[in-house]
Amino acid sequence: MLLLAVDTATPAVTVALHDGESVLAESNQVDARRHGELLLPSVDKVLAGAGLTLDALTGIVVGVGPGPYTGLRVGLVTASTFATVLGIPVHGLCTLDGLAYAAEAAGIEGPFTVATDARRKEVYWARYEDPRTRVGEPAVDRPADIAEQVAGLPAVGQGALLYPDVFTDARAPEHQSAAALASLAVERLAAGQEFLPPTPLYLRRPDAQVPKNYKVVTPQ
């Protein structure tokens, strides 16, 4: 087994290689405006670090969000393209599940909350019973509107750090880790669990909209 994991659903551009036993190499950069610029060089970096090439991969793992439209699609398109060209499967995982899994290494057992920055003064969030068990589906809300639901719970993710009045026990990790995402995928593959399709989990409409009414500028 050799899995390449990527996630661009948050400001982190994160890539990792996992051989089924351990993480061989990883790259993590935080830049919300350069997902497209940073992702492929990061893939090259982790492959070179492990002394491997793309044709050695047996599968791709990709974070499907929730996340902003532009950044999220960079990772999904890249993962799907690699999988198609190489003829290997691509496994989708909720980005919040990756952060929850990483929380275990930080000593959080549960219950707890994961929250990432959704912009517009909102967060993408979900509650977890433990690092492997999500309660319900991910959602997008204003922090004040979910204050009662997350009160008293530890919280991880950048969204929690941005709103300390609501997430009063914010902890690391702040950003997504492809290494954690890959490790979670290995566990789920071993257990025969299903994965999400490599399609984006947006939870809301993109900021860019097609104009409803076009102004005629050519002569009749």
Side-chain angles (χ1 to χ4, degrees):
M1 176 186 295
L2 185 64
L3 299 177
L4 174 71
V6 302
D7 197 318
T8 59
T10 70
V13 180
T14 178
V15 180
L17 276 175
H18 201 297
D19 67 357
E21 297 293 335
S22 62
V23 175
L24 301 181
E26 63 180 303
S27 173
N28 300 289
Q29 300 179 76
V30 178
D31 193 325
R33 298 182 180 275
R34 298 175 64 208
H35 293 89
E37 181 181 345
L38 296 174
L39 181 56
L40 289 179
S42 296
V43 171
D44 288 340
K45 177 181 177 181
V46 298
L47 286 169
L52 297 167
T53 57
L54 274 175
D55 58 8
L57 299 177
T58 62
I60 309 288
V61 179
V62 63
V64 302
Y69 178 77
T70 302
L72 176 55
R73 64 178 179 172
V74 170
L76 286 165
V77 169
T78 300
S80 295
T81 300
F82 282 161
T84 298
V85 171
L86 298 171
I88 57 178
V90 55
H91 309 293
L93 285 173
C94 174
T95 294
L96 302 182
D97 290 355
L99 274 159
Y101 187 86
E104 184 174 45
I108 301 176
E109 296 181 355
F112 63 98
T113 303
V114 175
T116 61
D117 183 16
R119 304 173 187 172
R120 304 184 193 175
K121 298 182 179 180
E122 295 178 330
V123 293
Y124 298 117
W125 71 285
R127 285 185 55 172
Y128 290 78
E129 283 299 322
D130 58 61
R132 294 168 179 80
T133 310
R134 175 161 33 90
V135 180
E137 297 299 320
V140 57
D141 289 290
R142 290 184 176 273
D145 294 339
I146 60 172
E148 291 186 5
Q149 299 178 64
V150 303
L153 294 176
V156 303
Q158 187 183 40
L161 293 172
L162 288 173
Y163 302 98
D165 291 344
V166 172
F167 301 98
T168 56
D169 188 10
R171 307 183 190 182
E174 178 180 358
H175 295 293
Q176 174 69 310
S177 161
L181 201 69
S183 297
L184 176 59
V186 168
E187 285 193 10
R188 292 191 176 182
L189 283 167
Q193 297 177 354
E194 293 185 357
F195 289 82
L196 297 172
T199 54
L201 181 61
Y202 290 131
L203 299 188
R204 67 183 183 203
R205 296 177 64 83
D207 292 328
Q209 300 290 329
V210 176
K212 294 181 179 179
N213 298 306
Y214 292 91
K215 182 179 180 180
V216 177
V217 295
T218 55
Q220 299 295 322

